[in-house]
DNA sequence: ATACAAGGCGCC
DNA sequence: AAAGGGCGCCTTGTAT
């Protein structure tokens, strides 16, 4: 397959076509505004586009109605290769390396207008691509790394397409929801009526007439002055207390949160033309999970999901994986007993059936503790029993924790490496002498060490889970495209992704096909990561008008 | 005026 | 006494 490296030089785009012989590249130069038409033409035959960063190229193509099938996103692949313990770093070394290390995605809406001095323009994607290919070829784990790089790049395309499409959002539904909960929209700087009434009830219950319940400091003082035994003002803490202030205060906090995080100003800022618009950023988290920028797209609360409604004649297909991370752990550790439990639609129930624990609640608590590092209480007490029944799975996370405590790097199944610890406890020779003055006493160092162990313990599972999800997304994207449906605007398309959940916006008549493809893509992802090892990834799939009606 | 930390809470 | 991982983002409160 042809690879075409795109390089921007002023108003001109250079397209370097590589046919496998690195010395015989054929270069085409064309004005930027002719690029979309040229790309569309080239897409008639299989081609992989190689560019510095998808966020710098793809939005303009999508605006012009041009979709590409595959790409290599050098920014993302560089980041993976630079940190992978399976990659020798010397083939990646070049003058440009710090520039690639520091390259940031572009997330402004004005993607057509590049900043005057985009640091990307000083980088040479042709040279970087050669370096990356050399580094990959020299790796003993080139197979799994190649899969990771392909999945990461494919994720970049999905993210750009989702960002372009936006999540269908009914501002009128959202506004009605706000008015029902808070009362009519007040002028700026004034509390909505319902909040003002609740604030009054809180002040009366505490005998604190001037209290601003939005101030945690003031509120804590007032609660303590009224004799409540609390050291913070968290919801969980307040629920433990029996006092007349608790009910109105919890209600106030809930509604104040709705107002500030997803109220009228959120609507004005993030919803335009019936779409919630925010930027999805693949690789935004060290573990490989995505992050999002704008509007808190990765934490859309259940309370406002009724406003996510499919267009007329369309449906939302909402799919999520049940217990992704324990299933991933079963697969990556090759733990046959845990895989057996994972053959059930409910993995935790499968663990009960397998005789490891007595109740589903114990199974869940124990697994969360094993994956997050919980040692306290019931979660910690479950661990020995889990370790007896699922020795390979538990040993994998325990070893990841020990490695982290040593200051070592751990990696995901496909080879994404964890960052090096930065604390003074982890510096070379830290064990040998007295603790440095700036690193506190021994207990502090041990605490930091254990905290890093919990991070690396979770890294291997969360990161491999993110890899499964990337493979799922990538395959689903291809499957959705093959369903057809006419112009890009008439086809089923991904509109949302959150770690283990996707939402597809589809014309009604294709909803059943989309459901089938979402499930098939999950099977593909499992095979890609774990080959023939029998671990299932069952999905909950719902075809709904509104996101709130799923699950 | 602006920047940042803390407290808090939403999502997985 | 501390206590499960990863995020984004809001307001308040303080520092510069």
């Amino acid at each position: 397959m042809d690879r075409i490296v795109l390089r921007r030089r002023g108003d001109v785009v250079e397209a370097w076509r590589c046919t496998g012989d690195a010395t015989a590249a054929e270069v085409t130069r064309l004005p930027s505004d002719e690029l979309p038409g040229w790309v569309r033409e080239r897409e008639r035959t299989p081609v992989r586009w190689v560019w510095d960063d998808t966020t710098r190229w793809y939005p303009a193509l999508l605006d012009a109605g041009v979709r590409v099938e595959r790409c290599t996103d050098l920014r993302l692949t560089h980041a993976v290769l630079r940190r992978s313990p399976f990659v020798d770093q010397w083939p990646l070394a070049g003058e440009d390396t710090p520039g690639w290390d520091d390259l940031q995605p572009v997330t402004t809406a004005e993607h057509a207008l590049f900043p005057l001095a985009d640091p990307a323009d000083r980088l040479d994607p042709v040279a970087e691509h050669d370096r990356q290919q050399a580094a990959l070829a020299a790796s003993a784990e080139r197979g799994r790394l190649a899969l990771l790089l392909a999945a990461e790049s494919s994720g970049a395309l999905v993210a750009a397409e989702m960002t372009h499409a936006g999540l269908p959002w009914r501002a009128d539904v959202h506004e009605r929801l706000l008015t029902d909960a808070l009362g009519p929209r007040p002028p700026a700087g004034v509390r909505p009526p319902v909040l003002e009434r609740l604030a009054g009830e809180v002040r009366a219950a505490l005998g604190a007439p001037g209290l601003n319940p939005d101030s945690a400091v003031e509120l804590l003082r007032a609660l303590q002055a009224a004799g409540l035994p609390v050291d913070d003002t968290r919801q969980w803490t307040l629920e433990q207390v029996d006092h007349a202030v608790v009910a109105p205060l919890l209600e106030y906090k809930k509604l104040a949160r709705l107002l500030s995080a997803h109220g009228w100003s959120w609507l004005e800022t993030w919803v335009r033309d019936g779409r919630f618009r925010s930027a999805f950023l693949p690789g935004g988290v060290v573990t490989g999970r995505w992050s999002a920028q704008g509007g808190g797209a990765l934490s859309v609360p259940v309370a406002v999901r009724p406003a996510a409604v499919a267009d007329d004649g369309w449906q939302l297909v909402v799919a999520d994986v049940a217990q992704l991370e324990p299933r991933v752990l079963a697969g990556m550790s090759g733990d046959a007993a845990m895989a057996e439990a994972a053959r059930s639609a409910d993995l935790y129930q499968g663990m009960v059936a397998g005789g490891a624990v007595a109740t589903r609640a114990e199974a869940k608590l124990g697994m969360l503790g094993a994956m997050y590092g919980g040692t306290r209480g019931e979660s910690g007490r479950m661990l020995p029993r889990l370790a007896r029944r699922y020795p390979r799975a538990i040993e994998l996370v325990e070893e990841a924790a020990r490695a982290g405590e040593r200051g070592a790097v751990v990696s995901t199944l496909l080879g994404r490496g964890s960052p090096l610890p930065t604390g003074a406890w982890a510096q070379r020779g830290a064990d040998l002498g007295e603790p440095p003055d700036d690193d506190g006493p021994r207990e502090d160092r041990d605490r930091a060490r254990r905290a890093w162990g919990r991070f690396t313990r979770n890294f291997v599972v969360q990161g491999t889970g993110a890899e499964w999800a990337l493979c799922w997304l990538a395959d689903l994207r291809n499957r959705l495209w093959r369903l057809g449906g006419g112009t890009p605007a008439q086809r089923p398309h991904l509109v949302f992704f959150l770690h283990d959940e996707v939402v597809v916006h589809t014309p009604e008549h294709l909803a059943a096909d989309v459901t089938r493809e979402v499930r098939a893509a999950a099977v593909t992802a499992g095979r890609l990561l774990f080959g023939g090892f029998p671990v299932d990834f069952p999905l909950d799939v719902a075809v709904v008008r509104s996101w709130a009606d799923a699950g």
Side-chain angles (χ1 to χ4, degrees):
Chain A
M1 183 192 317
D2 278 0
R3 290 165 182 264
I4 302 180
V5 186
L6 294 183
R7 188 162 89 168
R8 199 181 303 279
R9 287 296 177 263
D11 293 334
V12 172
V13 173
E14 298 175 355
W16 294 57
R17 180 164 161 268
C18 312
T19 51
D21 178 359
T23 58
E26 160 200 326
V27 185
T28 303
R29 293 183 172 77
L30 62 166
S32 288
D33 58 357
E34 290 178 17
L35 182 66
W38 193 79
V39 170
R40 180 186 285 131
E41 198 56 34
R42 287 291 173 144
E43 274 285 325
R44 290 169 184 275
T45 55
V47 56
R48 182 178 295 276
W49 302 95
V50 180
W51 49 42
D52 49 28
D53 168 27
T54 302
T55 67
R56 285 173 164 84
W57 292 91
Y58 202 22
L61 295 175
L62 290 168
D63 283 346
V66 177
R67 175 197 191 258
V68 305
E69 178 127 9
R70 54 186 81 77
C71 81
T72 293
D73 182 305
L74 293 170
R75 176 179 66 85
L76 291 171
T77 54
H78 176 91
V80 169
L81 292 170
R82 286 283 278 162
R83 196 165 265 172
S84 175
F86 301 149
V87 174
D88 280 333
Q89 291 301 305
W90 60 263
L92 290 170
E95 265 181 41
D96 277 355
T97 303
W100 287 100
D101 287 346
D102 296 340
L103 193 61
Q104 297 297 314
V106 175
T107 56
T108 57
E110 294 297 307
H111 44 72
L113 301 172
F114 291 90
L116 284 177
D118 185 345
D121 293 343
R122 291 197 299 274
L123 303 174
D124 180 359
V126 178
E128 174 65 13
H129 184 237
D130 288 345
R131 288 193 293 267
Q132 292 191 14
Q133 292 294 106
L136 184 62
S139 170
E141 300 292 347
R142 69 187 78 87
R144 59 177 84 184
L145 275 170
L147 174 57
L148 176 55
L149 301 186
E152 190 82 345
S153 293
S154 195
L157 296 178
V158 173
E161 289 164 5
M162 287 193 337
T163 300
H164 178 78
L167 179 63
W169 202 269
R170 285 272 299 271
D172 58 323
V173 174
H174 192 152
E175 274 165 3
R176 198 177 325 125
L177 187 152
L178 291 175
T179 308
D180 288 350
L182 299 164
R185 181 179 190 177
V190 179
R191 278 200 183 86
V194 173
L195 272 184
E196 195 51 58
R197 174 175 59 73
L198 288 166
E201 290 178 26
V202 169
R203 292 187 191 109
L206 293 176
L211 173 69
N212 170 16
D214 293 324
S215 164
V217 176
E218 272 185 53
L219 182 58
L220 181 59
R221 259 198 297 269
L223 290 169
Q224 290 173 338
L228 279 76
V230 294
D231 293 313
D232 59 61
T233 68
R234 288 180 208 141
Q235 180 184 315
W236 188 89
T237 305
L238 295 169
E239 281 168 359
Q240 311 307 307
V241 177
D242 182 24
H243 189 281
V245 77
V246 172
L249 181 52
L250 290 178
E251 184 67 7
Y252 179 91
K253 279 172 157 282
K254 190 180 87 183
L255 294 179
R257 167 83 191 177
L258 173 66
L259 172 68
S260 71
H262 291 94
W264 290 279
S265 65
W266 181 90
L267 207 42
E268 282 171 359
T269 309
W270 301 112
V271 176
R272 283 192 313 281
D273 303 326
R275 295 290 185 268
F276 167 33
R277 307 204 157 276
S278 72
F280 289 89
L281 300 175
V285 179
V286 284
T287 59
R289 278 187 173 180
W290 291 17
S291 63
Q293 199 175 79
L298 268 42
S299 54
V300 178
V302 172
V304 298
R305 291 187 189 184
V309 179
D311 291 349
D312 288 340
W314 291 60
Q315 298 271 24
L316 298 178
V317 178
V318 182
D320 71 288
V321 197
Q323 305 122 8
L324 173 61
E325 289 181 355
R327 290 171 193 279
V328 159
L329 175 58
M332 68 190 299
S333 64
D335 192 308
M338 182 159 284
E340 175 63 32
R343 212 144 304 145
S344 153
D346 182 343
L347 177 137
Y348 299 130
Q349 202 58 54
M351 290 171 67
V352 175
V357 288
T359 66
R360 186 182 188 281
E362 285 181 348
K364 182 172 181 175
L365 210 63
M367 281 310 293
L368 291 181
M371 293 185 300
Y372 290 156
T375 51
R376 177 184 63 119
E378 203 177 346
S379 168
R381 282 203 302 279
M382 287 297 124
L383 197 61
R385 279 153 68 180
L386 295 182
R388 260 199 308 280
R389 187 78 180 85
Y390 309 112
R392 298 183 68 154
I394 300 302
E395 176 54 22
L396 189 147
V397 287
E398 291 289 315
E399 170 51 27
R402 290 194 296 269
E405 292 181 8
R406 290 195 302 272
V409 164
V410 298
S411 98
T412 61
L413 181 65
L414 296 186
R416 192 187 302 268
S418 65
L420 283 166
T422 52
W425 63 269
Q427 300 314 305
R428 190 194 307 270
D431 292 319
L432 303 178
E434 288 298 304
D437 289 344
D438 62 351
D439 198 31
R442 177 171 296 279
E443 311 86 75
D444 289 354
R445 284 189 307 158
D446 290 348
R447 193 157 42 241
R449 203 185 289 274
R450 285 194 300 272
W452 194 258
R454 287 192 298 276
F455 167 66
T456 52
R457 171 195 292 269
N458 186 250
F459 181 95
V460 296
V461 180
Q462 186 184 121
T464 306
E467 286 164 354
W468 183 91
L470 271 181
C471 291
W472 182 39
L473 266 187
D475 191 50
L476 177 57
R477 172 180 184 263
N478 293 334
R479 289 171 178 275
L480 291 179
W481 189 256
R482 287 199 296 268
L483 283 180
T487 68
Q490 297 168 325
R491 289 166 170 268
H493 54 275
L494 282 153
V495 290
F496 192 80
F497 166 60
L498 179 55
H499 309 323
D500 60 0
E501 175 177 8
V502 295
V503 180
V504 177
H505 193 212
T506 181
E508 263 168 27
H509 71 280
L510 291 174
D513 295 318
V514 170
T515 299
R516 189 187 63 239
E517 300 299 348
V518 164
R519 292 190 188 281
V523 173
T524 303
R527 296 239 171 85
L528 278 172
L529 258 67
F530 307 117
F533 189 77
V535 53
D536 294 340
F537 292 89
L539 303 184
D540 291 320
V541 186
V543 179
V544 290
R545 301 277 359 261
S546 164
W547 192 7
D549 298 332

